[in-house]
Amino acid sequence: GQICSLMGRDADIEFVPRDESALVTNRVGSTQRAAIDLLFQATTPLERYRKHLLMFQYWNAQLLDELAAPTPSPKRLRQASQESWTELRLLCGLLGADRAAKAAPLLAQRERVRQQLEAGAPNPAALASIRMAVDAQTRQINREMSWRDVQDALAPPAPAAAP
């Protein structure tokens, strides 16, 4: 799973795809933990999908902005690339098997972009090529993975764990 910070630096929670209520690592109080559990249990698959789509769009916009910057920061490039890839992976995990199989090439393309950016600071020509690829992929994701288009193709919610 991907570690993400929630409520500041003191609260690290690991989210596992398709079962977001699983709190694997937790350094928050039991009241906060119960509130977080309730938040994730109360959401429908469509609400979770919409949340992760919004988070993907945010990180994807950060990545495109950084790729277009005159002097892009390698650290911000890597972070935006990693976070957008993670959110796209989570989106694919929320889809039913058929729709997830159709989205697999998009995830593979984004993985290649992420690996290129992780390998080091690419030259300006490579950055322009990566930006064009990410921009084209963004348009494809907006066409094929909008929440309205996939709302009937979402995987059913995972059964709640027994207390």
Side-chain angles (χ1 to χ4, degrees), residues 142-156:
N142 289 339
R143 271 192 318 270
E144 298 174 9
M145 294 183 70
S146 102
W147 67 268
R148 287 183 181 95
D149 293 336
V150 301
Q151 63 186 347
D152 295 330
L154 294 173

Side-chain angles (χ1 to χ4, degrees), residues 16-79:
V16 180
R18 307 237 6 228
D19 184 13
E20 297 176 51
S21 64
L23 300 176
V24 179
T25 304
N26 188 341
R27 286 185 278 162
V28 297
S30 60
T31 304
Q32 291 171 329
R33 177 187 225 171
I36 292 168
D37 277 340
L38 182 61
L39 172 69
F40 286 113
Q41 290 173 1
T43 60
T44 66
L46 180 59
E47 290 168 338
R48 278 195 304 277
Y49 186 87
R50 288 178 70 179
K51 178 188 76 166
H52 286 293
L53 182 61
L54 184 64
M55 292 169 64
F56 167 78
Q57 290 168 340
Y58 170 81
W59 284 110
N60 194 60
Q62 294 293 317
L63 177 60
L64 285 169
D65 289 347
E66 198 59 37
L67 286 168
T71 54
S73 164
K75 183 177 179 180
R76 284 194 294 263
L77 278 172
R78 284 191 304 272
Q79 179 187 19

Side-chain angles (χ1 to χ4, degrees), residues 91-143:
L91 287 171
C92 291
L94 292 171
L95 295 172
D98 293 343
R99 197 66 183 239
K102 290 179 185 177
L106 292 171
L107 191 58
Q109 288 172 352
R110 185 52 64 103
E111 172 64 16
R112 284 190 294 276
V113 166
R114 189 182 69 81
Q115 288 174 349
Q116 284 179 312
L117 294 173
E118 286 289 325
N123 62 40
L127 284 175
S129 173
I130 291 171
R131 187 178 196 298
M132 288 189 313
V134 170
D135 192 43
Q137 186 184 48
T138 298
R139 288 190 305 275
Q140 185 177 3
I141 289 169
N142 289 339
R143 271 192 318 270

